[in-house]
Structures are given as C-alpha cells and as structure tokens.
C-alpha cells in the first residue's frame, strides 16, 4: 500500500508581517514533509493566509488602504518568504481565493441543511485580536488572556452552529484516540474545555457591521465568522469534495499549530467536520511559544524577530537548525541571539563542519580523488556501524513522536562518535607506513559512509548543507540520498569522485571575541534589550546610597551583607565579595535599585540591589563625579 502524509500549518493572519513564530511552525511542517518524502511517502503540504474578519479591516484602515489591497500585500510577503526559507509547500491557500469561498459556502449549506445552524441572539465579549467571543469566566481581570486587552461587549442577532450537539461525540473521540491531540498536555487542555457544557458557536457577522467576509449561502445579510471560514482551508487545499487529493490525503491529515489556537482546532473544527459529514483529521500537533529573551514577542515591546534578518545574518541552515534544536516540541522556548551563535559555533562549525572538512581533507590526501574500496573490516569498526544503525532507528522514533530536537541530539551523538573514531584511529599515523594501506582505506571509507549517513539524516532539517555534503561525496542520484539507503551499512559507492568544498559553517565571531585584548577573557556582550517606554523606566526607583557597614555572609565567597543608608538604614545582600572586601566597600557612595521586591539570599533578607558592571579585572560599582546627597533620586 502506498504511504501518504498530509501536513498543514495554520493560515496566518495578514494583519502583520511574518515573524519567527510563523517561521517556526512552517519550518517544522517543512521538516516533517521532507522527512516523509525521504521515506518515500506521497506527501502534501499546505499553508496560506487568513484574510477576512475585523482584525484585517482594522489593520487596513490604519494603513489607509482597502482590506483587499492590504491582504494582497501581506499575503504576498508570506508567499515570498517560504521559498527563501527552503519551505516546500505544495499549495498556498488564501481565504479570498474563489475556490475557497466556494468550499466554505458549500459546507455551510450542507451543515444548514443538516439542521445544525439556527438563528438567534448573541451577547458576549469579543476580542478582535483572537477573533472570538469569550465567556466572562474565561477573561482574566476582565481582559483577554492572550492579548490582555479589554474585549468589546457585543449584542446582535446571528447564526449559530449547534456545536453543543457534538460535545459527547468529541469527548468520546478524544478518549478513544489518545493521539488525536498531542502532546498530552494539550489533549488534557481540550478535555478540560469539554468538562463544561459546550456553547453553540456564533458563526456569522451582520453585514451592517462587517462586510469583509464570505456571504452566507442562506442569508445575503450576513458574512461568515472568520474562524468558520479559515478552518475550512484545510480541505480546500486538497480539493474537497471531489478531488483525488482529498480522498488520498484527508484520512492522514496532520495539523500543526501553536497552543494559542488550540480551542478552534481542538473543539470547533472536529465538530464542524462531524456536522459536515467529513471524518475527523488524524492528529492535531500543538507546539509551544517562542519568547524573546524571556519576554513575550510583541509589536508594542518592539522585540519582533523577522526571519529574513536572521537568515541574512547567519545563513538559512543554521537558522533552521537552531529553531528545531532549541525548542522541545510542545513547550515554550526563549530565543536569544547569543544562544543561536553558541549553537552555530559549537554544533555546526565545530562538530559537523569540522567532521566534514577533516574527513574530506584526509580522504583526498590519502586515497586520491575517489571513495576508496573498504578492504578489511575490523571489530573495532563495530561501534561506528552499530551507532549508525541505532541512530537511524532513533531518528525514526523521534519523528513519530514529533521529538525533533531529540532527533537532532541523536544525529549529533553519531557525529561525535565519528569524530572520536578519527581521533582513535589516527589515520595520519597509519598513512606513514604503506603496510597499513588496506586498513587506512577501510577507515576512510567508514568515515565517508558516516558522512553520507549524517547528510541523509540532516536533509529534512538542513537541506542546503546536506546537498553540499552529497556533492563533496560525489553522490548525485536520489538512491544514495534517501533513508532506505542507510541500512545496511555500506551504501556509499566506492569509486565516487570526491570534491573538497568550502567550510560548511563559518564560525561567528562574537563582539567580545573581535575586541578581545590579548590575555584577557571578556564575556560576550549581551545584546541591547527590547525598548521600554518612559513610564516603564519610571517604575524603577534608583537612589544614591551610602554603605555604612559590611560583612561577609558565612560560607559564601561572593555574598556581602551590607547596611546602606538611603531613606533610613536598610540591609542589602550583594554578590560583590570576590571583587570588594568588606573594608573596601564601606564608605562608598553607590547606586541602588530601591524598590526591588525583597528577596532572601542564603536565608538573609535583601532589600534592594547595587548597580555594577564588568571590567576585565572584575566587577566595579557605579559611582559619581561629584558627591551627591544620600537618598537622592537618580533620573
Ligand atoms: N489565522 C489564524 C489561524 C487560522 S488556521 C485555520 C491565526 N493566525 S496567526 O497569524 O495569529 O498565527 C498563529 C500561529 O502562528 C500559531 O498557532 C503558530 O503556529 C504561529 N505563531 C505565532 N506566534 C508564535 C510564537 N511566538 N511562537 C511560536 N509560534 C507562533 O491564528
């Protein structure tokens, strides 16, 4: 039987340009699609843009253009971005496409005819950011839990989808299919939603308020609610209802989303499908959120990361690698440029990049320009071969569990075993005596075969780098590049022409490395944090203080217990003990954060924090040119 695989990403709102969060989901989808193609599955991959609703109208109004013009412009940005990130989607759905409009109307008609749509009154709290109504109890302090904005109170006549009718069915379906929503934490979250009675879903908006949407097939005066419209893209993409693609791919549909849109995908969508007489999707795969340097990414914080900026600065494959390696699927992760550079330098330049250059350099030097024939397999080669076989199996398991970071860890373990194989076999020593010729050939062959296996395994993650390794190994045919060719060991053809290439991953010099004075180690400069407003800064109460007394905290090298004078005396515990003795710090006029929440350090209460900075000789306290008054405010 032919194996098939269908992967979807959310269709992204066109109210803002693409950022790293959109790139992450779409690259994960791409890695999954590429992996399945590599396994010989017939694969379909869809993405696109979500263009109707209040949110887009608001954004277009702000930009002073029509919703259509606005949608065209931002949708084009998404469409153009994906090839730049080596994303291989088969289709790009826009909800303004005529075939999608047609599909939505068809499904609405069907559900209406089935008796699951009725007319009624709605009153509730609407968050335009989420494009959904909230129940009062779902709000946090009267605000939307996602956007932290106060939702609009709305009361209007509308059409409703009888979602409540499918509540019991959905609970049963989720219970009987433990993988339907995964990882488990999100399945539990969906089941928790379903513990309360499910309300019917308001699925229309009166044209008197919103015209930017798909007109209901059974009432000209209303447009379709944007989520009802958007979710249907997943079947539009494969030609519902007649298309051959629909028959082939719908039964294996895998949706990929982040946790923000669990409810529409985990609750609305399966019940909509049930009402429309379409079988449920196979899996909903839910990942966590990227934060930036520990804070939420948002336009207002000014910390939105644009994927092309990172790609241009560090290269595409490192960017893809980092995203996949540094997020545990299902959990949140924090992006920092330092962590990214660290990964490039250690995992890519050091481990993989060096392995490729060393192996290729030795192979060309000792075996000429071709892959040598292995002659003697020694027992000591067993570990490398066994690790290769185990890695292939482990990667397969990781993919089936969506543990993509673990797949990379497994591949890197293999890379490290190969690097160790070089160190232990010392080909450069063997090369000195012709007696070792056959053994040397075998070792070189093993190294080149290990490189080929690595290249195949990294193909879904870093297709460009994999292609460069294949080129160096003289492998042009797909047969040597697919997963099936990995077992048994020995798929690399002897005689292939070897071509040395440029280093795959140049090291990234950090600012500190470039400016490093000889003999002194300077920490990498942290990048400037996201902008804050004046009001936010005003919240920090900085004061001039005088150190009245100091003593070391017992059993601590670093901590000093200080008595300082600001608005009276107070106690601060500071980590200055390596750089300042108690005697040296007493009498100093310093700067203190005076309104920091009290904390306990080694059981001692500390009320405030001293300001200091690093120098090549250690920490130094902030001071003044002219002596200020104790307690003075710093502004
Ligand atoms: N238009 C709806 C989806 C309709 S699908 C039928 C929508 N669009 S969105 O533009 O807001 O995209 C949300 C999705 O973008 C998330 O589910 C996730 O895939 C991705 N991400 C947006 N921000 C993200 C992070 N900070 N981190 C990770 N992914 C994030 O919701």
């Amino acid at each position: 039987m032919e194996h098939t695989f269908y992967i979807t990403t959310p269709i992204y709102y066109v109210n803002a340009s693409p950022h790293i969060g959109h790139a992450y989901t779409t690259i994960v989808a791409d890695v999954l699609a590429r992996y399945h193609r590599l396994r010989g599955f017939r694969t379909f991959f869809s993405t696109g843009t979500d263009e109707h609703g209040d949110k887009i109208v608001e954004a277009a109004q702000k930009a002073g253009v029509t919703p259509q013009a606005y949608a065209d412009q931002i949708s084009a940005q998404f469409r153009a971005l994906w090839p730049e990130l080596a994303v291989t989607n088969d289709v790009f759905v826009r909800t303004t496409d005529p075939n999608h409009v047609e599909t939505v109307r068809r499904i609405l008609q069907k559900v209406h005819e089935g008796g699951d749509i009725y007319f009624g009154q709605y009153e509730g709290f609407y968050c335009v950011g989420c494009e959904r109504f909230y129940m009062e109890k779902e709000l946090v302090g009267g605000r939307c839990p996602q956007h932290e904005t106060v939702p609009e109170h709305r009361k209007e006549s509308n059409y409703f989808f009888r979602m409540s009718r499918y509540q019991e069915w959905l609970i049963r379906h989720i219970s009987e299919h433990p993988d339907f929503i995964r990882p488990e934490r999100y399945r539990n979250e969906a089941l928790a939603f379903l513990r309360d009675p499910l309300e019917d879903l308001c699925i229309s908006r009166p044209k008197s308020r919103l015209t930017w949407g798909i007109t209901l097939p059974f009432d000209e005066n209303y447009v379709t609610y944007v989520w009802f419209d958007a979710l249907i893209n997943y079947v539009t993409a494969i030609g519902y209802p007649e298309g051959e693609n629909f028959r082939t791919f719908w039964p294996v549909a895998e949706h990929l989303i982040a946790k923000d849109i669990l409810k529409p995908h985990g609750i609305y969508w399966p019940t909509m499908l049930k009402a429309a007489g379409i079988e449920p999707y196979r899996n909903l795969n839910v990942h966590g959120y990227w934060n930036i340097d520990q804070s939420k990414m948002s336009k207002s914080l000014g910390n939105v990361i644009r994927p092309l900026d990172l790609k241009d600065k560090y290269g595409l494959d490192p960017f893809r690698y980092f995203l996949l390696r540094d997020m545990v699927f299902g959990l949140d992760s924090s992006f920092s440029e330092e962590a990214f550079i660290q990964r490039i330098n250690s995992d890519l330049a050091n481990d993989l990049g060096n392995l490729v250059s060393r192996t290729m350099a030795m192979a060309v030097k000792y075996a000429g320009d071709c892959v040598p024939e292995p002659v003697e397999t020694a027992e000591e080669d067993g570990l490398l071969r066994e690790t290769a076989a185990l890695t292939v199996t482990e990667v397969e398991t990781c993919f089936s569990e969506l543990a993509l970071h673990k797949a990379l860890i497994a591949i890197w373990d293999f890379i490290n075993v190969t690097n160790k194989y070089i160190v232990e076999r010392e080909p450069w020593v063997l090369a000195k005596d012709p007696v070792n010729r056959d053994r040397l050939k075998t070792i070189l062959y093993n190294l080149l075969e290990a490189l080929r296996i690595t290249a195949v395994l990294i193909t879904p993650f870093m297709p460009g780098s994999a292609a460069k390794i294949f080129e160096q190994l003289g492998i042009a045919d797909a047969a040597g590049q697919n997963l099936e060719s990995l077992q048994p060991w020995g798929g690399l053809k002897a005689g292939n022409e070897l071509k040395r290439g440029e280093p795959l991953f140049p090291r990234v010099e950090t600012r500190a490395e470039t400016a490093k004075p000889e003999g002194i180690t300077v920490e990498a400069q942290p990048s400037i944090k996201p902008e804050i407003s004046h009001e936010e800064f005003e919240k920090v109460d900085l004061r001039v203080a005088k150190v009245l007394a100091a003593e070391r905290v017992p059993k601590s090298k670093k901590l000093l217990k200080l008595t300082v004078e600001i608005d009276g005396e107070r106690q601060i515990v500071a980590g200055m003990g390596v750089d300042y003795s108690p005697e040296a710090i007493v009498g100093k006029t310093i700067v203190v954060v005076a309104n920091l929440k009290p904390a306990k350090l080694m059981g001692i209460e500390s009320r405030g924090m001293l300001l200091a900075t690093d120098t090549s000789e250690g920490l130094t306290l902030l001071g003044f040119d002219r002596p200020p008054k104790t307690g003075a405010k710093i502004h």
Side-chain angles (χ1 to χ4, degrees):
M1 204 186 72
E2 184 186 43
H3 288 295
T4 49
F5 181 72
Y6 176 33
I7 185 77
T8 70
T9 74
I11 47 170
Y12 304 110
Y13 285 130
V14 289
N15 64 329
S17 299
H19 58 59
I20 191 172
H22 306 124
Y24 173 72
T25 313
T26 315
I27 290 173
V28 171
D30 186 64
V31 170
L32 294 172
R34 285 177 182 269
Y35 171 78
H36 284 89
R37 285 190 208 112
L38 215 54
R39 288 191 58 190
F41 281 47
R42 197 168 148 212
T43 298
F44 199 84
F45 169 12
S46 81
T47 186
T49 43
D50 187 357
E51 308 187 4
H52 292 126
D54 292 284
K55 203 176 163 103
I56 311 306
V57 174
E58 275 187 7
Q61 265 164 2
K62 260 195 208 148
V65 294
T66 62
Q68 184 67 59
Y70 196 73
D72 286 348
Q73 186 200 330
I74 308 273
S75 177
Q77 288 181 16
F78 278 95
R79 193 192 287 267
L81 173 64
W82 303 136
E84 296 257 11
L85 300 183
V87 165
T88 53
N89 53 303
D90 295 289
V91 73
F92 186 93
V93 178
R94 297 185 61 182
T95 52
T96 48
D97 285 340
N99 65 329
H100 175 71
V101 173
E102 192 43 45
T103 310
V104 170
R105 287 167 62 89
R106 225 171 164 149
I107 289 182
L108 276 166
Q109 188 63 41
K110 198 161 172 197
V111 177
H112 191 234
E113 281 165 12
D116 279 336
I117 291 177
Y118 64 92
F119 195 64
Q121 267 282 334
Y122 198 86
E123 188 170 349
F125 299 93
Y126 197 75
C127 170
V128 172
C130 296
E131 291 279 18
R132 61 168 269 218
F133 280 104
Y134 275 93
M135 289 184 283
E136 201 159 3
K137 67 169 193 195
E138 288 181 290
L139 302 175
V140 179
R143 288 170 184 266
C144 160
Q146 293 264 353
H147 294 90
E148 293 166 18
T149 47
V150 179
E152 288 169 30
H153 183 256
R154 287 186 184 175
K155 187 175 174 183
E156 54 196 27
S157 295
N158 265 312
Y159 285 89
F160 288 81
F161 163 50
R162 227 181 273 286
M163 194 155 70
S164 54
R165 191 168 159 190
Y166 299 102
Q167 175 160 11
E168 288 312 312
W169 165 79
L170 182 56
I171 294 173
R172 213 172 332 113
H173 188 80
I174 298 179
S175 310
E176 285 167 8
H177 300 84
D179 268 357
F180 184 59
I181 299 175
R182 57 184 182 176
E184 201 182 351
R185 51 175 30 219
Y186 297 111
R187 171 177 188 263
N188 294 339
E189 207 174 300
L191 286 171
F193 287 140
L194 291 165
R195 244 174 254 138
D196 291 330
L198 203 52
E199 289 190 13
D200 289 342
L201 183 66
C202 175
I203 54 148
S204 67
R205 300 291 178 261
K207 281 196 182 165
S208 53
R209 203 171 52 69
L210 176 77
T211 53
W212 182 239
I214 299 177
T215 302
L216 294 182
F218 43 82
D219 191 336
E220 277 291 305
N221 299 313
Y222 284 84
V223 293
T224 313
Y225 167 46
V226 62
W227 269 107
F228 200 96
D229 160 355
L231 288 160
I232 289 174
N233 94 85
Y234 298 131
V235 295
T236 304
I238 45 175
Y240 170 85
E242 295 93 2
E244 204 260 312
N245 273 348
F246 181 71
R247 279 192 299 280
T248 309
F249 292 112
W250 186 248
V252 292
E254 299 274 344
H255 297 314
L256 193 61
I257 60 166
K259 61 183 186 181
D260 54 336
I261 50 178
L262 173 61
K263 193 167 183 183
H265 283 81
I267 312 282
Y268 306 172
W269 183 222
T271 55
M272 283 167 63
L273 287 165
K274 182 77 180 157
I278 306 172
E279 65 178 293
Y281 52 78
R282 181 179 276 180
N283 292 122
L284 178 62
N285 306 294
V286 190
H287 64 74
Y289 245 48
W290 278 100
N291 297 319
I292 309 300
D293 291 325
Q294 315 292 340
S295 1
K296 199 169 168 179
M297 180 166 51
S298 81
K299 252 200 223 165
S300 48
L301 282 181
N303 63 353
V304 174
I305 303 237
R306 292 185 308 180
L308 284 183
D309 292 350
L310 289 177
K311 176 203 158 182
D312 291 346
K313 197 160 166 195
Y314 299 107
L316 175 57
D317 279 3
F319 177 53
R320 288 175 61 115
Y321 175 79
F322 177 78
L323 288 182
L324 273 296
R325 177 63 183 79
D326 267 45
M327 183 176 261
V328 175
F329 193 91
L331 302 182
D332 289 353
S333 198
S334 187
F335 175 86
S336 87
E337 209 160 328
E338 289 94 73
F340 183 15
I341 294 175
Q342 170 77 24
R343 285 266 173 234
I344 297 179
N345 287 346
S346 94
D347 301 11
L348 298 181
N350 249 2
D351 299 345
L352 176 57
N354 274 346
L355 174 65
V356 175
S357 351
R358 288 162 91 190
T359 303
M360 289 305 296
M362 287 189 295
V364 169
K365 184 162 171 199
Y366 304 135
D369 289 340
C370 294
V371 175
E373 188 89 45
V375 189
E376 275 174 15
T377 305
E379 213 168 283
E380 58 184 36
D381 298 332
L383 178 68
L384 188 66
R385 288 167 163 234
E386 278 155 28
T387 312
L390 286 175
T391 308
V392 173
T393 322
E394 172 72 4
V395 168
E396 192 176 326
T397 312
C398 292
F399 266 91
S400 68
E401 293 166 356
L402 291 167
L404 301 183
H405 74 291
K406 266 189 164 167
L408 287 171
I409 292 173
I411 300 170
W412 256 254
D413 284 345
F414 177 57
I415 290 173
N416 290 330
V417 166
T418 316
N419 270 323
K420 207 158 157 235
Y421 181 84
I422 300 184
V423 175
E424 286 172 358
R425 300 294 164 271
E426 298 182 311
W428 51 92
V429 175
L430 296 177
K432 288 187 184 140
D433 189 341
V435 135
N436 302 319
R437 223 188 56 207
D438 286 353
R439 181 75 194 119
L440 181 61
K441 276 187 178 174
T442 309
I443 289 171
L444 292 173
Y445 178 87
N446 286 342
L447 286 172
L448 294 165
E449 170 69 340
L451 270 196
R452 183 184 75 90
I453 293 171
T454 304
V456 173
L457 293 175
I458 65 166
T459 297
F461 300 94
M462 297 194 283
S465 309
K468 284 185 192 157
I469 300 176
F470 289 133
E471 202 185 323
Q472 298 199 28
L473 295 174
I475 304 171
D477 58 320
Q481 302 181 6
N482 67 31
L483 284 164
E484 261 173 34
S485 71
L486 299 190
Q487 274 161 338
W489 176 273
L492 176 65
K493 282 198 205 113
N496 271 5
E497 198 184 326
L498 296 173
K499 280 181 240 118
R500 283 191 69 182
E502 296 286 305
L504 283 185
F505 307 102
R507 275 183 71 79
V508 178
E509 294 227 330
T510 57
R511 248 192 291 166
E513 275 172 340
T514 350
K516 190 157 114 184
E518 260 182 23
I520 296 174
T521 327
V522 181
E523 291 289 313
Q525 289 284 15
S527 56
I528 301 283
K529 293 199 174 124
E531 284 174 0
I532 56 169
S533 65
H534 211 260
E535 286 88 296
E536 281 170 296
F537 175 70
E538 283 289 318
K539 287 188 194 155
V540 184
D541 198 350
L542 297 175
R543 296 293 174 126
V544 175
K546 187 155 185 195
V547 183
L548 302 177
E551 60 184 86
R552 288 196 181 275
V553 170
K555 294 198 193 125
S556 167
K557 255 206 240 152
K558 266 177 94 177
L559 296 182
L560 295 179
K561 186 170 96 178
L562 309 176
T563 308
V564 303
E565 184 180 47
I566 308 177
D567 47 348
E569 288 182 15
R570 63 160 90 184
Q571 179 173 294
I572 295 181
V573 180
M576 309 291 295
V578 174
D579 307 286
Y580 287 82
S581 65
E583 302 73 48
I585 205 166
V586 169
K588 285 209 179 295
T589 300
I590 56 173
V591 181
V592 162
V593 182
N595 61 337
L596 199 66
K597 277 203 181 122
K600 278 200 168 159
L601 293 162
M602 292 187 74
I604 306 173
E605 173 154 14
S606 175
R607 292 181 50 230
M609 187 172 79
L610 276 55
L611 295 193
T613 187
D614 299 305
T615 70
S616 53
E617 287 142 53
L619 285 170
T620 187
L621 284 160
L622 262 64
F624 298 93
D625 280 342
R626 301 192 193 100
K629 258 180 55 194
T630 304
K633 189 167 165 45
I634 294 171
H635 45 87

